[in-house]
Amino acid sequence: EDQVTQSPEALRLQEGESSSLNCSYTVSGLRGLFWYRQDPGKGPEFLFTLYSAGEEKEKERLKATLTKKESFLHITAPKPEDSATYLCAVQAGGDSNYQLIWGAGTKLIIKP
Amino acid sequence: KAGVTQTPRYLIKTRGQQVTLSCSPISGHRSVSWYQQTPGQGLQFLFEYFSETQRNKGNFPGRFSGRQFSNSRSEMNVSTLELGDSALYLCASSLSGTSIDTQYFGPGTRLTVL
């Protein structure tokens, strides 16, 4: 069964303290992996798409990487405004009909 | 380019009533997906429409239905509301919903059932 697992469920960091969020997946034929950021009460905001193992993408303090089994979202020197829930989703091949499989998210809190 | 818009933003209904939510996708996007989000369950896929046809459906009861119009705008309807239907309902649009296609989300409609 296709599955996406995010860890940790929650992460508290001090401002400036770098860390990584994990998204592990077991799917048949990865087409793409997506990272979104969601603020409370709002819709998810698209961050990155990764297509193949070894690929990396960066945006400001965020860097996403992909291996054959997992993706990491690295946050360098975070600021309080980076506090949000980060969601990972995978688009699989096979009989998935292009539907996304979502992880439960990691709630990130950056303390000033 | 305008983003995905959803109306209304907030709704309060009572059990047994029905509700209709609306979603206008990004111009040029033909696929619209609907999700229910609750604190305990995360993002749950409801259904997806493409070219006025329901292409995919999640595991929700028949009380949840939707449709898409020729201009790609979509509505979802929930009949006979239950307390457990209280949630944030999100709409996402994408160009075609095929291949590797990014979904862009609207702000959501917060539904509270009393």
Side-chain angles (χ1 to χ4, degrees):
Chain A
E1 181 185 351
D2 295 338
Q3 196 169 3
V4 175
T5 304
Q6 291 189 247
S7 61
E9 288 185 13
L11 182 62
R12 293 175 182 268
L13 300 172
Q14 288 293 139
E15 182 174 0
E17 181 184 1
S18 302
S19 188
S20 297
L21 313 182
N22 178 265
C23 171
S24 62
Y25 60 90
T26 52
V27 297
S28 52
L30 177 72
R31 290 179 179 270
L33 185 143
F34 302 82
W35 281 100
Y36 287 81
R37 168 201 168 117
Q38 185 175 26
D39 294 304
K42 298 186 178 181
E45 175 189 346
F46 170 71
L47 293 173
F48 304 109
T49 307
L50 300 169
Y51 300 98
S52 57
E55 188 174 2
E56 299 181 351
K57 287 193 176 174
E58 288 188 68
K59 179 181 179 180
E60 297 180 357
R61 294 177 293 281
L62 300 176
K63 178 180 178 180
T65 62
L66 181 65
T67 72
K68 289 186 178 181
K69 294 183 178 180
E70 59 193 347
S71 176
F72 291 94
L73 185 65
H74 306 279
I75 301 177
T76 303
K79 299 180 178 181
E81 53 262 41
D82 294 322
S83 297
T85 295
Y86 291 83
L87 298 168
C88 167
V90 166
Q91 189 176 56
D95 297 330
S96 69
N97 281 329
Y98 307 106
Q99 282 311 298
L100 294 179
I101 305 161
W102 291 86
T106 293
K107 185 175 183 178
L108 177 65
I109 299 170
I110 308 297
K111 297 176 287 183
Chain B
K1 203 177 219 181
V4 179
T5 58
Q6 292 186 246
T7 57
R9 293 294 312 281
Y10 303 92
L11 265 178
I12 299 176
K13 294 286 187 178
T14 56
R15 280 181 299 174
Q17 287 187 309
Q18 75 165 16
V19 67
T20 299
L21 312 182
S22 180
C23 171
S24 292
I26 292 171
S27 177
H29 284 195
R30 297 172 63 191
S31 170
V32 173
S33 297
W34 288 91
Y35 294 88
Q36 181 193 67
Q37 188 176 38
T38 57
Q41 297 295 320
L43 270 173
Q44 302 291 311
F45 172 70
L46 282 156
F47 30 66
E48 183 230 353
Y49 285 87
F50 178 76
S51 291
E52 301 178 64
T53 301
Q54 187 181 88
R55 187 162 59 179
N56 291 294
K57 188 177 188 304
N59 188 26
F60 276 81
R63 300 185 297 107
F64 292 82
S65 63
R67 59 178 176 169
Q68 187 181 34
F69 302 95
S70 58
N71 61 358
S72 293
R73 190 177 70 85
S74 177
E75 290 181 346
M76 69 162 281
N77 182 275
V78 188
S79 61
T80 319
L81 284 166
E82 300 177 359
L83 294 178
D85 296 333
S86 294
L88 181 67
Y89 289 88
L90 292 162
C91 160
S93 78
S94 61
L95 277 171
S96 66
T98 61
S99 187
I100 305 169
D101 211 5
T102 300
Q103 291 189 3
Y104 295 92
F105 285 82
T109 294
R110 170 71 65 187
L111 173 64
T112 302
V113 182
L114 302 176

